[in-house]
Short mmCIF file of all heavy atoms in Angstrom, two decimals:
data_model
loop_
_atom_site.label_atom_id
_atom_site.label_comp_id
_atom_site.label_asym_id
_atom_site.label_seq_id
_atom_site.Cartn_x
_atom_site.Cartn_y
_atom_site.Cartn_z
N SER P 1028 -15.10 -129.36 37.16
CA SER P 1028 -14.06 -128.41 37.44
C SER P 1028 -14.55 -127.03 37.25
O SER P 1028 -15.36 -126.79 36.55
CB SER P 1028 -12.85 -128.70 36.45
OG SER P 1028 -12.28 -129.90 36.65
N LEU P 1029 -14.00 -126.03 38.06
CA LEU P 1029 -14.19 -124.71 37.99
C LEU P 1029 -12.96 -124.18 37.24
O LEU P 1029 -11.79 -124.39 37.57
CB LEU P 1029 -14.26 -124.12 39.30
CG LEU P 1029 -15.40 -124.53 40.23
CD1 LEU P 1029 -15.49 -123.60 41.54
CD2 LEU P 1029 -16.71 -124.48 39.52
N TRP P 1030 -13.23 -123.36 36.24
CA TRP P 1030 -12.17 -122.69 35.46
C TRP P 1030 -12.26 -121.27 35.76
O TRP P 1030 -13.20 -120.58 35.44
CB TRP P 1030 -12.44 -122.95 33.91
CG TRP P 1030 -12.44 -124.31 33.34
CD1 TRP P 1030 -13.30 -125.38 33.87
CD2 TRP P 1030 -11.74 -124.88 32.30
NE1 TRP P 1030 -13.04 -126.53 33.16
CE2 TRP P 1030 -12.08 -126.29 32.17
CE3 TRP P 1030 -10.68 -124.48 31.50
CZ2 TRP P 1030 -11.58 -127.08 31.26
CZ3 TRP P 1030 -10.15 -125.26 30.56
CH2 TRP P 1030 -10.54 -126.62 30.51
N LEU P 1031 -11.09 -120.81 36.28
CA LEU P 1031 -10.92 -119.40 36.66
C LEU P 1031 -10.07 -118.73 35.54
O LEU P 1031 -8.94 -118.93 35.41
CB LEU P 1031 -10.29 -119.26 38.10
CG LEU P 1031 -11.27 -119.61 39.21
CD1 LEU P 1031 -12.69 -118.98 39.11
CD2 LEU P 1031 -11.37 -121.03 39.44
N LEU P 1032 -10.77 -117.87 34.76
CA LEU P 1032 -10.14 -117.14 33.66
C LEU P 1032 -9.85 -115.76 33.81
O LEU P 1032 -10.56 -115.01 34.65
CB LEU P 1032 -11.00 -117.33 32.40
CG LEU P 1032 -11.71 -118.71 32.20
CD1 LEU P 1032 -12.64 -118.64 31.00
CD2 LEU P 1032 -10.61 -119.78 31.96
N PRO P 1033 -8.79 -115.14 33.13
CA PRO P 1033 -8.56 -113.71 33.28
C PRO P 1033 -9.82 -112.97 32.69
O PRO P 1033 -10.43 -113.40 31.65
CB PRO P 1033 -7.47 -113.50 32.44
CG PRO P 1033 -6.74 -114.82 32.32
CD PRO P 1033 -7.74 -115.75 32.47
N SER P 1034 -10.22 -111.98 33.38
CA SER P 1034 -11.41 -111.18 32.99
C SER P 1034 -11.34 -110.55 31.57
O SER P 1034 -10.16 -109.98 31.26
CB SER P 1034 -11.83 -110.09 34.03
OG SER P 1034 -10.74 -109.27 34.25
N SER P 1035 -12.36 -110.63 30.78
CA SER P 1035 -12.36 -110.00 29.51
C SER P 1035 -13.11 -108.67 29.51
O SER P 1035 -13.13 -107.99 28.47
CB SER P 1035 -12.89 -110.91 28.46
OG SER P 1035 -14.26 -111.28 28.73
N ALA P 1036 -13.88 -108.52 30.50
CA ALA P 1036 -14.76 -107.23 30.64
C ALA P 1036 -15.15 -106.97 32.12
O ALA P 1036 -15.12 -107.96 32.89
CB ALA P 1036 -16.04 -107.46 29.86
N PRO P 1037 -15.29 -105.77 32.42
CA PRO P 1037 -15.66 -105.39 33.81
C PRO P 1037 -17.01 -106.05 34.23
O PRO P 1037 -17.80 -106.40 33.28
CB PRO P 1037 -15.78 -103.92 33.89
CG PRO P 1037 -15.05 -103.45 32.58
CD PRO P 1037 -15.20 -104.51 31.57
N LYS P 1038 -17.18 -106.45 35.45
CA LYS P 1038 -18.41 -107.11 35.95
C LYS P 1038 -19.40 -105.90 36.18
O LYS P 1038 -19.11 -105.10 37.01
CB LYS P 1038 -18.13 -107.91 37.15
CG LYS P 1038 -19.40 -108.73 37.53
CD LYS P 1038 -19.10 -109.64 38.64
CE LYS P 1038 -20.21 -110.72 38.95
NZ LYS P 1038 -21.62 -110.16 38.75
N THR P 1039 -20.45 -105.95 35.45
CA THR P 1039 -21.46 -104.84 35.60
C THR P 1039 -22.85 -105.45 35.99
O THR P 1039 -23.71 -104.50 36.33
CB THR P 1039 -21.62 -104.02 34.30
OG1 THR P 1039 -21.93 -104.92 33.26
CG2 THR P 1039 -20.24 -103.33 33.91
N ALA P 1040 -23.11 -106.71 35.90
CA ALA P 1040 -24.37 -107.22 36.22
C ALA P 1040 -24.20 -108.62 36.78
O ALA P 1040 -23.15 -109.22 36.74
CB ALA P 1040 -25.23 -107.35 34.98
N LYS P 1041 -25.38 -109.17 37.35
CA LYS P 1041 -25.25 -110.45 37.86
C LYS P 1041 -24.97 -111.56 36.82
O LYS P 1041 -25.43 -111.37 35.71
CB LYS P 1041 -26.71 -110.84 38.49
CG LYS P 1041 -26.89 -112.17 38.97
CD LYS P 1041 -28.28 -112.46 39.60
CE LYS P 1041 -28.57 -113.78 40.07
NZ LYS P 1041 -28.61 -114.84 39.03
N ASN P 1042 -24.11 -112.50 37.24
CA ASN P 1042 -23.81 -113.46 36.20
C ASN P 1042 -25.00 -114.33 35.76
O ASN P 1042 -25.95 -114.52 36.65
CB ASN P 1042 -22.82 -114.57 36.93
CG ASN P 1042 -21.35 -113.88 36.89
OD1 ASN P 1042 -21.11 -112.92 36.39
ND2 ASN P 1042 -20.51 -114.65 37.52
N ARG P 1043 -24.97 -114.87 34.54
CA ARG P 1043 -26.15 -115.78 34.18
C ARG P 1043 -26.03 -117.13 34.78
O ARG P 1043 -26.98 -117.79 34.94
CB ARG P 1043 -25.95 -115.91 32.66
CG ARG P 1043 -27.15 -116.73 32.03
CD ARG P 1043 -26.94 -116.66 30.47
NE ARG P 1043 -28.10 -117.27 29.79
CZ ARG P 1043 -28.12 -118.47 29.25
NH1 ARG P 1043 -27.08 -119.16 29.38
NH2 ARG P 1043 -29.20 -118.83 28.69
N ILE P 1044 -24.71 -117.50 35.19
CA ILE P 1044 -24.54 -118.82 35.80
C ILE P 1044 -24.04 -118.60 37.27
O ILE P 1044 -23.19 -117.74 37.45
CB ILE P 1044 -23.50 -119.72 35.03
CG1 ILE P 1044 -24.00 -119.97 33.73
CG2 ILE P 1044 -23.26 -121.00 35.87
CD1 ILE P 1044 -22.95 -120.61 32.76
N HIS P 1045 -24.67 -119.27 38.24
CA HIS P 1045 -24.05 -119.15 39.57
C HIS P 1045 -24.04 -120.62 40.23
O HIS P 1045 -24.60 -121.52 39.74
CB HIS P 1045 -24.81 -118.15 40.47
CG HIS P 1045 -26.17 -118.71 40.92
ND1 HIS P 1045 -27.29 -118.34 40.16
CD2 HIS P 1045 -26.52 -119.38 41.96
CE1 HIS P 1045 -28.25 -118.88 40.80
NE2 HIS P 1045 -27.97 -119.54 41.89
N LEU P 1046 -23.37 -120.69 41.34
CA LEU P 1046 -23.27 -122.04 42.00
C LEU P 1046 -24.04 -122.00 43.26
O LEU P 1046 -24.08 -120.95 43.97
CB LEU P 1046 -21.77 -122.32 42.42
CG LEU P 1046 -20.74 -122.15 41.23
CD1 LEU P 1046 -19.30 -122.53 41.84
CD2 LEU P 1046 -21.08 -123.20 40.25
N ASP P 1047 -24.77 -123.04 43.51
CA ASP P 1047 -25.44 -123.27 44.82
C ASP P 1047 -24.77 -124.22 45.65
O ASP P 1047 -24.37 -125.33 45.29
CB ASP P 1047 -26.89 -123.79 44.64
CG ASP P 1047 -27.86 -122.71 44.24
OD1 ASP P 1047 -27.47 -121.55 44.30
OD2 ASP P 1047 -29.04 -123.13 43.90
N LEU P 1048 -24.28 -123.77 46.91
CA LEU P 1048 -23.62 -124.68 47.84
C LEU P 1048 -24.53 -125.29 48.79
O LEU P 1048 -25.53 -124.76 49.18
CB LEU P 1048 -22.50 -123.95 48.70
CG LEU P 1048 -21.21 -123.72 47.94
CD1 LEU P 1048 -21.32 -123.00 46.55
CD2 LEU P 1048 -20.16 -122.90 48.87
N ALA P 1049 -24.33 -126.55 49.12
CA ALA P 1049 -25.26 -127.34 50.00
C ALA P 1049 -25.02 -126.66 51.50
O ALA P 1049 -23.93 -126.29 51.93
CB ALA P 1049 -24.88 -128.72 50.02
N GLY P 1050 -26.14 -126.60 52.16
CA GLY P 1050 -26.19 -125.91 53.46
C GLY P 1050 -25.99 -126.86 54.72
O GLY P 1050 -26.07 -126.46 55.79
N GLY P 1051 -25.91 -128.18 54.36
CA GLY P 1051 -25.80 -129.12 55.45
C GLY P 1051 -27.02 -129.62 56.05
O GLY P 1051 -28.17 -129.58 55.36
N ALA P 1052 -27.07 -130.11 57.22
CA ALA P 1052 -28.25 -130.78 57.92
C ALA P 1052 -29.08 -129.77 58.63
O ALA P 1052 -30.23 -130.17 58.80
CB ALA P 1052 -27.69 -131.92 58.71
N ASP P 1053 -28.57 -128.78 59.03
CA ASP P 1053 -29.43 -127.73 59.83
C ASP P 1053 -28.89 -126.32 59.71
O ASP P 1053 -27.99 -126.09 58.99
CB ASP P 1053 -29.54 -128.21 61.28
CG ASP P 1053 -28.15 -128.25 61.89
OD1 ASP P 1053 -27.28 -127.48 61.58
OD2 ASP P 1053 -27.93 -129.21 62.79
N ALA P 1054 -29.67 -125.43 60.28
CA ALA P 1054 -29.37 -123.96 60.16
C ALA P 1054 -27.87 -123.64 60.72
O ALA P 1054 -27.27 -122.78 60.10
CB ALA P 1054 -30.28 -123.16 60.89
N ARG P 1055 -27.41 -124.48 61.70
CA ARG P 1055 -26.01 -124.20 62.19
C ARG P 1055 -25.07 -124.57 61.12
O ARG P 1055 -24.02 -123.88 60.92
CB ARG P 1055 -25.89 -125.03 63.44
CG ARG P 1055 -26.56 -124.40 64.67
CD ARG P 1055 -26.31 -125.24 65.86
NE ARG P 1055 -26.87 -126.68 65.66
CZ ARG P 1055 -26.77 -127.63 66.57
NH1 ARG P 1055 -26.19 -127.41 67.69
NH2 ARG P 1055 -27.35 -128.85 66.28
#
């Protein structure tokens, strides 16, 4: 599950955790 929480601080830098989405079978 993804938990979307109210922000506790402004975003100032890249997150330590990120998601990679599958790109499918080809460039299209």
Side-chain angles (χ1 to χ4, degrees):
S1028 296
L1029 303 183
W1030 299 56
L1031 288 311
L1032 313 177
S1034 58
S1035 60
K1038 190 175 192 317
T1039 58
K1041 177 179 178 290
N1042 285 354
R1043 187 176 188 256
I1044 300 173
H1045 73 268
L1046 306 180
D1047 277 355
L1048 274 57
D1053 55 38
R1055 288 177 298 179

